[in-house]
Amino acid sequence: MVLLWIGAVTESFRSRQLVLQSNDRELSSLASALAEQTARSLQGVEFILRRTSGWALDAKIAQDSRAAADRFLREEIAGVPQVRQLDIVDATGQRIATTLPDSPAANVSKRAYFKAVQRASGNALVVSEPLVSIIDGRPTFAMATRLEDEHGRFKGAVVALIEDGYFLDFYRQVDADEGTGITLRREDGAPVVSSDNRQRSGQAGRPVLSARKQVPEFQLTVDITRDEALALHTWRVSTIYDFMGTGALSLLVVGLGVALMRRLQQLGRFTRRLQSSQRRWRAVFDNAPAGIMLLRPRGRYVAANPAFQRMVGYSSTELQNLTATDITHPEDVEITRQHIERLLQGGLQSVRFEKRYQHRDGYTVWTDVRLARVTVSEQASGKDPAREEDVIVATVEDVTQRREDEQARRQLESQLRQSQKLEALGTFAGGIAHDFNNILGAIVGYGELALQALADETPEQRYVAQVLKSADRARSLVERILTFSRSGLTTRQPVHVQPIVQDSIEMLKVRLPACIRLEAELNAPKAHIEGDPAHLDQLVTNLCVNAIHAMPGGGTLRVVLDTLDLDAARSLSHGAVEAGHFVRLAVSDSGVGMAPDLLERIFNPFFTTRKAGEGTGLGLALVDGIVREYGGGIDVSTMVGAGSQFELLLPTIDSHTSQPREDEKACPYGEGQTILLVDDEEALVRIGEERLAELGYEPAGFVSSDAAWQAFRADPQRFDAVVTDQTMPGITGVELARMIRSLRAEIPIILVSGFSSPALEAQAREAGVNAQLRKPLRRAELARTLKHLLPD
């Protein structure tokens, strides 16, 4: 009888230890899973805070951009259930942007987490104590990151209010026992989120079982507690019945049978509780949004949750027949092996890195992987002794979309910088064009007068003629810069393509090196485009000059012009064209060709492969700008060592007539009409007066638009026509034209400008300007325009 009771007490004590150990393992496993899941949820919040901080510092938020900032914040937390509100506050704690724009103004300067962010440095991240929302009074807690300028001075903070219910709901799903509490604490022990009802139910102070796990990468812990009484409830009942059974066994055999039956029932309940604990772990494993897998260090997969199976496209059964390297991208196999070796041999608790998986369908999946080593013990069975084995637990997050978004953002930033370069160039070109063309105007004007005063076939005449040719080249250079910067685009006109291309080729032959053979095949005699003849000449000239430079040792330059009909849209290497009728200009060479990395940059402004001083890098950028402006496209084909071909497609028009090119030497004369001449450059006024007088007109020149207006207002009938500059101090040419029209509606007005644009042309037409001429103004052009506008 004594031995029977000793056995009963011993068995009771052993059963108690087993129950406590089982609860400890269960709580530890549950705490680990919850810590990992909590880390994943908070990493998403941290990523939003970091990206929002970078955006806030770059965007330089102002009051007039509040709506855009609020919209950006709402887009950042869209689809992130754990974040209920995202704010940006300034250095005083005043909210300056929020995802709740209609909420009342709030100041968080007295919040403890705000003061902690103020005291911090760098990109510190602070997690607050439990809070009550200033807006709606609901429980929450905050994560905040510091904003500081380039000197490290505190500029404010980005604050995310976390949805308290998000974590509470998750905690309730994984453990429904009333005696079990789950608490998320800060490093100082302050609770952040708690599902522990023990305090409210009057159970505080009773013995508890507990487990604590650090939340990876955050100064937080997950604490799980369970009333010891609850954990030992089964044991106590079992012990009571054991003792009752022992007592009954001492009295009679029948009592022993009853006790054994009840013991079996209690063991069944204990088994069901263990199974319930296993189901809770399985719920975490199966429902986690991140991929979770177990694998042997140098063997096959042991298990993989549904999230990982969806990520790589393989079922759990298929994965068990694969190793870690079988579905890893070939370029990442070695780095994966190195990280596993570090984990196993370096004494690390976990390692984290990015790697690529090959999806079953063939595409690449970028992931953020965290590996941890777990030692699993197996009990002895039969003749096999107990043994321990290392198993790797991996959590995998799909970051493919995040990387694609980041790449798209970098592309947009690159396009923005390119646009800013073009805008700056346009502003620069427009600013210098007026002054530079004024200088060229004086050179051309006095050069023409000098040329007329000299006898034919004299050295002096040839010298002056060369000066005028150089001035024409300078004027062409300004046209190229203005065309490239979009500042010089003018109203288009029908252009007969083949004669312009033929003239450009003839001009090119003069400077063609002897080692290069030119082949031209022009088969588009009726093709017309809507544009500018000068632009077409620039296309031919720039492409041919580039081809010549690509053949330093000589070769063949081939120019082909023909027409092409497209029944469907076509994508080209640089641009795309819709279906329609096109004129095709192909320029090819037998030179050195281009490598792929060079081909990607040839149309970038200021990019050139020539030596310093030999090229500006604007030639192909100008070609690209003109072709795009005309609605065409460019197809480039090249091979290193075998030459290149540039094929331009420009849409044609139905017009079969273009403006006839007038004889530059034809200068019709006037009949003594009085011309009001206005320009703020005195040299241009003087040369203009001499030109007009030579052409048979009576000039009245003014270097001030105000003085010219006073003279016209004093006697409007004195003048027969007006020639005015556009850019002048005080009254501009368009404004002067509008004022003159108010006094005399029928007088012809000619506007002269150093550069033009569609906007300026529209303003001039609205003001009543009859004709617009470009500086430097040629004598014959002025003579023909006046003759056309003045009545016979």
Side-chain angles (χ1 to χ4, degrees), residues 87 89 93 107-120 125-131 134 140-146 154 157-161 186:
D87 296 336
V89 298
N107 190 294
V108 298
S109 59
K110 295 184 178 180
R111 294 286 197 185
Y113 69 82
F114 181 80
K115 296 177 180 179
V117 171
Q118 282 182 315
R119 294 191 299 270
L125 184 70
V126 175
V127 180
S128 77
E129 72 285 355
L131 303 174
I134 299 175
T140 183
F141 70 95
M143 288 181 64
T145 186
R146 175 184 175 91
F154 178 63
V158 180
V159 183
L161 294 185
R186 298 194 308 183

Short mmCIF file of all heavy atoms in Angstrom, two decimals, residues 87 89 93 107-120 125-131 134 140-146 154 157-161 186:
data_model
loop_
_atom_site.label_atom_id
_atom_site.label_comp_id
_atom_site.label_asym_id
_atom_site.label_seq_id
_atom_site.Cartn_x
_atom_site.Cartn_y
_atom_site.Cartn_z
N ASP A 87 1.00 60.96 -40.47
CA ASP A 87 1.11 62.43 -40.37
C ASP A 87 2.55 62.85 -40.58
O ASP A 87 3.49 62.09 -40.31
CB ASP A 87 0.65 62.92 -38.99
CG ASP A 87 -0.82 62.65 -38.73
OD1 ASP A 87 -1.59 62.50 -39.71
OD2 ASP A 87 -1.20 62.59 -37.56
N VAL A 89 4.74 66.14 -39.12
CA VAL A 89 4.68 67.28 -38.21
C VAL A 89 5.98 68.06 -38.33
O VAL A 89 7.03 67.51 -38.65
CB VAL A 89 4.44 66.83 -36.76
CG1 VAL A 89 3.10 66.11 -36.63
CG2 VAL A 89 5.55 65.92 -36.26
N GLY A 93 5.92 70.36 -33.55
CA GLY A 93 4.90 69.36 -33.27
C GLY A 93 3.58 69.61 -33.98
O GLY A 93 2.64 68.86 -33.81
N ASN A 107 -1.53 69.14 -32.27
CA ASN A 107 -0.13 69.38 -31.96
C ASN A 107 0.36 68.28 -31.02
O ASN A 107 -0.27 68.00 -30.00
CB ASN A 107 0.04 70.75 -31.30
CG ASN A 107 1.51 71.15 -31.20
OD1 ASN A 107 2.28 70.53 -30.48
ND2 ASN A 107 1.89 72.18 -31.93
N VAL A 108 1.46 67.63 -31.44
CA VAL A 108 1.95 66.47 -30.66
C VAL A 108 3.23 66.80 -29.92
O VAL A 108 3.96 65.91 -29.52
CB VAL A 108 2.18 65.28 -31.61
CG1 VAL A 108 0.90 64.87 -32.27
CG2 VAL A 108 3.24 65.61 -32.68
N SER A 109 3.51 68.09 -29.72
CA SER A 109 4.79 68.46 -29.11
C SER A 109 4.93 67.95 -27.68
O SER A 109 6.03 67.78 -27.19
CB SER A 109 4.94 69.98 -29.14
OG SER A 109 3.88 70.60 -28.42
N LYS A 110 3.81 67.70 -26.99
CA LYS A 110 3.88 67.24 -25.61
C LYS A 110 3.89 65.72 -25.51
O LYS A 110 3.99 65.16 -24.42
CB LYS A 110 2.72 67.81 -24.81
CG LYS A 110 2.77 69.34 -24.69
CD LYS A 110 1.66 69.87 -23.80
CE LYS A 110 1.76 71.40 -23.65
NZ LYS A 110 0.70 71.95 -22.79
N ARG A 111 3.75 65.05 -26.63
CA ARG A 111 3.81 63.58 -26.62
C ARG A 111 5.24 63.11 -26.30
O ARG A 111 6.22 63.71 -26.76
CB ARG A 111 3.38 63.02 -27.97
CG ARG A 111 1.93 63.27 -28.33
CD ARG A 111 0.99 62.39 -27.53
NE ARG A 111 -0.34 62.33 -28.13
CZ ARG A 111 -1.36 61.71 -27.59
NH1 ARG A 111 -1.22 61.09 -26.42
NH2 ARG A 111 -2.53 61.69 -28.21
N ALA A 112 5.34 62.06 -25.53
CA ALA A 112 6.67 61.56 -25.13
C ALA A 112 7.47 61.10 -26.34
O ALA A 112 8.68 61.31 -26.42
CB ALA A 112 6.51 60.41 -24.12
N TYR A 113 6.80 60.45 -27.31
CA TYR A 113 7.56 59.98 -28.46
C TYR A 113 8.10 61.13 -29.29
O TYR A 113 9.18 61.03 -29.90
CB TYR A 113 6.70 59.05 -29.32
CG TYR A 113 5.56 59.73 -30.05
CD1 TYR A 113 5.77 60.39 -31.26
CD2 TYR A 113 4.26 59.71 -29.55
CE1 TYR A 113 4.74 61.00 -31.94
CE2 TYR A 113 3.23 60.32 -30.21
CZ TYR A 113 3.46 60.97 -31.40
OH TYR A 113 2.43 61.57 -32.07
N PHE A 114 7.36 62.28 -29.32
CA PHE A 114 7.87 63.44 -30.09
C PHE A 114 9.13 63.99 -29.43
O PHE A 114 10.12 64.34 -30.09
CB PHE A 114 6.79 64.50 -30.19
CG PHE A 114 7.20 65.72 -30.98
CD1 PHE A 114 7.17 65.69 -32.36
CD2 PHE A 114 7.66 66.87 -30.35
CE1 PHE A 114 7.55 66.79 -33.10
CE2 PHE A 114 8.05 67.96 -31.09
CZ PHE A 114 8.00 67.93 -32.45
N LYS A 115 9.11 64.05 -28.09
CA LYS A 115 10.31 64.53 -27.39
C LYS A 115 11.48 63.57 -27.60
O LYS A 115 12.63 63.98 -27.71
CB LYS A 115 9.99 64.68 -25.91
CG LYS A 115 8.92 65.75 -25.63
CD LYS A 115 8.58 65.84 -24.16
CE LYS A 115 7.50 66.90 -23.88
NZ LYS A 115 7.14 66.98 -22.46
N ALA A 116 11.18 62.27 -27.65
CA ALA A 116 12.24 61.30 -27.90
C ALA A 116 12.84 61.48 -29.28
O ALA A 116 14.06 61.36 -29.46
CB ALA A 116 11.70 59.88 -27.72
N VAL A 117 12.01 61.74 -30.29
CA VAL A 117 12.51 61.98 -31.64
C VAL A 117 13.36 63.24 -31.67
O VAL A 117 14.39 63.31 -32.35
CB VAL A 117 11.33 62.08 -32.62
CG1 VAL A 117 11.81 62.56 -33.98
CG2 VAL A 117 10.65 60.74 -32.78
N GLN A 118 12.94 64.29 -30.92
CA GLN A 118 13.74 65.52 -30.87
C GLN A 118 15.14 65.27 -30.33
O GLN A 118 16.12 65.82 -30.81
CB GLN A 118 13.03 66.55 -29.99
CG GLN A 118 11.85 67.28 -30.67
CD GLN A 118 11.24 68.32 -29.74
OE1 GLN A 118 11.01 68.06 -28.58
NE2 GLN A 118 11.00 69.50 -30.28
N ARG A 119 15.21 64.41 -29.30
CA ARG A 119 16.51 64.16 -28.68
C ARG A 119 17.39 63.22 -29.50
O ARG A 119 18.58 63.14 -29.29
CB ARG A 119 16.30 63.56 -27.28
CG ARG A 119 15.63 64.50 -26.29
CD ARG A 119 15.71 63.93 -24.88
NE ARG A 119 15.03 62.68 -24.75
CZ ARG A 119 13.74 62.55 -24.41
NH1 ARG A 119 13.00 63.63 -24.18
NH2 ARG A 119 13.19 61.35 -24.32
N ALA A 120 16.78 62.49 -30.40
CA ALA A 120 17.52 61.50 -31.17
C ALA A 120 18.37 62.18 -32.24
O ALA A 120 18.39 63.40 -32.36
CB ALA A 120 16.56 60.49 -31.80
N LEU A 125 14.25 55.75 -35.05
CA LEU A 125 12.87 55.28 -35.08
C LEU A 125 12.42 55.09 -33.63
O LEU A 125 13.08 54.42 -32.85
CB LEU A 125 12.76 53.97 -35.85
CG LEU A 125 11.35 53.42 -36.02
CD1 LEU A 125 10.57 54.31 -36.99
CD2 LEU A 125 11.40 52.00 -36.57
N VAL A 126 11.26 55.69 -33.28
CA VAL A 126 10.76 55.67 -31.90
C VAL A 126 9.39 55.03 -31.89
O VAL A 126 8.55 55.35 -32.73
CB VAL A 126 10.69 57.10 -31.33
CG1 VAL A 126 10.05 57.09 -29.95
CG2 VAL A 126 12.09 57.70 -31.24
N VAL A 127 9.19 54.12 -30.95
CA VAL A 127 7.88 53.51 -30.72
C VAL A 127 7.32 54.07 -29.42
O VAL A 127 7.99 54.04 -28.39
CB VAL A 127 7.98 51.97 -30.65
CG1 VAL A 127 6.60 51.37 -30.41
CG2 VAL A 127 8.58 51.43 -31.92
N SER A 128 6.09 54.56 -29.43
CA SER A 128 5.52 55.23 -28.27
C SER A 128 4.88 54.24 -27.31
O SER A 128 4.73 53.05 -27.61
CB SER A 128 4.46 56.23 -28.73
OG SER A 128 3.26 55.54 -29.07
N GLU A 129 4.52 54.76 -26.14
CA GLU A 129 3.66 54.04 -25.20
C GLU A 129 2.23 54.04 -25.75
O GLU A 129 1.94 54.72 -26.73
CB GLU A 129 3.72 54.72 -23.84
CG GLU A 129 3.01 56.08 -23.75
CD GLU A 129 3.78 57.20 -24.44
OE1 GLU A 129 4.92 56.95 -24.90
OE2 GLU A 129 3.27 58.33 -24.52
N PRO A 130 1.32 53.28 -25.16
CA PRO A 130 -0.07 53.33 -25.63
C PRO A 130 -0.61 54.76 -25.57
O PRO A 130 -0.34 55.50 -24.62
CB PRO A 130 -0.81 52.39 -24.69
CG PRO A 130 0.23 51.48 -24.16
CD PRO A 130 1.48 52.27 -24.09
N LEU A 131 -1.36 55.13 -26.59
CA LEU A 131 -1.88 56.49 -26.70
C LEU A 131 -3.40 56.45 -26.86
O LEU A 131 -3.97 55.43 -27.25
CB LEU A 131 -1.26 57.22 -27.89
CG LEU A 131 0.26 57.33 -27.94
CD1 LEU A 131 0.68 57.94 -29.27
CD2 LEU A 131 0.77 58.20 -26.80
N ILE A 134 -5.81 61.89 -30.36
CA ILE A 134 -6.31 63.26 -30.17
C ILE A 134 -7.55 63.49 -31.03
O ILE A 134 -8.44 64.26 -30.66
CB ILE A 134 -5.21 64.27 -30.53
CG1 ILE A 134 -3.99 64.08 -29.61
CG2 ILE A 134 -5.71 65.69 -30.43
CD1 ILE A 134 -2.82 64.95 -29.96
N THR A 140 -4.41 53.62 -29.43
CA THR A 140 -3.47 53.41 -30.53
C THR A 140 -2.06 53.52 -29.97
O THR A 140 -1.87 53.75 -28.76
CB THR A 140 -3.69 54.44 -31.64
OG1 THR A 140 -2.79 54.17 -32.72
CG2 THR A 140 -3.45 55.85 -31.16
N PHE A 141 -1.06 53.36 -30.81
CA PHE A 141 0.30 53.72 -30.46
C PHE A 141 1.00 54.20 -31.73
O PHE A 141 0.52 53.97 -32.83
CB PHE A 141 1.07 52.56 -29.78
CG PHE A 141 1.41 51.42 -30.68
CD1 PHE A 141 2.64 51.35 -31.31
CD2 PHE A 141 0.49 50.41 -30.92
CE1 PHE A 141 2.97 50.29 -32.13
CE2 PHE A 141 0.81 49.35 -31.75
CZ PHE A 141 2.03 49.29 -32.35
N ALA A 142 2.11 54.89 -31.53
CA ALA A 142 2.73 55.59 -32.66
C ALA A 142 4.13 55.06 -32.92
O ALA A 142 4.83 54.63 -32.02
CB ALA A 142 2.79 57.10 -32.39
N MET A 143 4.50 55.10 -34.23
CA MET A 143 5.88 54.92 -34.65
C MET A 143 6.29 56.19 -35.37
O MET A 143 5.55 56.66 -36.24
CB MET A 143 6.03 53.72 -35.58
CG MET A 143 5.89 52.38 -34.88
SD MET A 143 6.10 50.99 -36.02
CE MET A 143 7.81 51.24 -36.52
N ALA A 144 7.43 56.76 -34.98
CA ALA A 144 7.84 58.04 -35.54
C ALA A 144 9.30 57.98 -35.91
O ALA A 144 10.10 57.31 -35.25
CB ALA A 144 7.59 59.18 -34.56
N THR A 145 9.63 58.69 -36.99
CA THR A 145 11.02 58.81 -37.43
C THR A 145 11.38 60.27 -37.58
O THR A 145 10.52 61.10 -37.89
CB THR A 145 11.26 58.05 -38.74
OG1 THR A 145 12.67 58.09 -39.04
CG2 THR A 145 10.51 58.68 -39.89
N ARG A 146 12.62 60.57 -37.34
CA ARG A 146 13.10 61.94 -37.27
C ARG A 146 13.35 62.52 -38.67
O ARG A 146 13.83 61.81 -39.55
CB ARG A 146 14.40 61.96 -36.45
CG ARG A 146 15.12 63.31 -36.36
CD ARG A 146 16.43 63.13 -35.60
NE ARG A 146 17.23 64.35 -35.57
CZ ARG A 146 17.17 65.27 -34.62
NH1 ARG A 146 16.33 65.11 -33.62
NH2 ARG A 146 17.96 66.35 -34.64
N PHE A 154 17.01 69.38 -36.36
CA PHE A 154 15.69 68.75 -36.29
C PHE A 154 14.68 69.59 -37.07
O PHE A 154 14.52 70.79 -36.83
CB PHE A 154 15.27 68.62 -34.83
CG PHE A 154 13.90 68.02 -34.64
CD1 PHE A 154 13.66 66.71 -35.05
CD2 PHE A 154 12.87 68.76 -34.08
CE1 PHE A 154 12.41 66.17 -34.88
CE2 PHE A 154 11.63 68.21 -33.91
CZ PHE A 154 11.39 66.91 -34.32
N ALA A 157 8.97 65.40 -37.87
CA ALA A 157 8.88 63.95 -37.78
C ALA A 157 7.77 63.45 -38.67
O ALA A 157 6.84 64.18 -39.01
CB ALA A 157 8.65 63.50 -36.34
N VAL A 158 7.93 62.18 -39.09
CA VAL A 158 6.85 61.45 -39.78
C VAL A 158 6.29 60.46 -38.76
O VAL A 158 7.04 59.67 -38.19
CB VAL A 158 7.38 60.72 -41.01
CG1 VAL A 158 6.22 59.98 -41.68
CG2 VAL A 158 8.01 61.70 -41.98
N VAL A 159 4.97 60.53 -38.51
CA VAL A 159 4.33 59.76 -37.44
C VAL A 159 3.28 58.85 -38.05
O VAL A 159 2.42 59.31 -38.81
CB VAL A 159 3.69 60.69 -36.39
CG1 VAL A 159 3.09 59.85 -35.26
CG2 VAL A 159 4.72 61.66 -35.84
N ALA A 160 3.36 57.56 -37.72
CA ALA A 160 2.33 56.60 -38.12
C ALA A 160 1.61 56.12 -36.88
O ALA A 160 2.23 55.64 -35.94
CB ALA A 160 2.96 55.42 -38.86
N LEU A 161 0.29 56.31 -36.87
CA LEU A 161 -0.53 55.79 -35.77
C LEU A 161 -0.97 54.37 -36.13
O LEU A 161 -1.57 54.16 -37.18
CB LEU A 161 -1.75 56.69 -35.54
CG LEU A 161 -1.43 58.11 -35.02
CD1 LEU A 161 -2.69 58.87 -34.72
CD2 LEU A 161 -0.53 58.07 -33.79
N ARG A 186 7.62 47.61 -25.04
CA ARG A 186 8.85 48.32 -25.42
C ARG A 186 10.02 47.76 -24.62
O ARG A 186 9.85 46.96 -23.69
CB ARG A 186 8.71 49.82 -25.17
CG ARG A 186 7.63 50.48 -26.00
CD ARG A 186 7.74 51.97 -25.99
NE ARG A 186 7.82 52.53 -24.63
CZ ARG A 186 7.87 53.83 -24.36
NH1 ARG A 186 7.89 54.70 -25.32
NH2 ARG A 186 7.91 54.28 -23.11
#
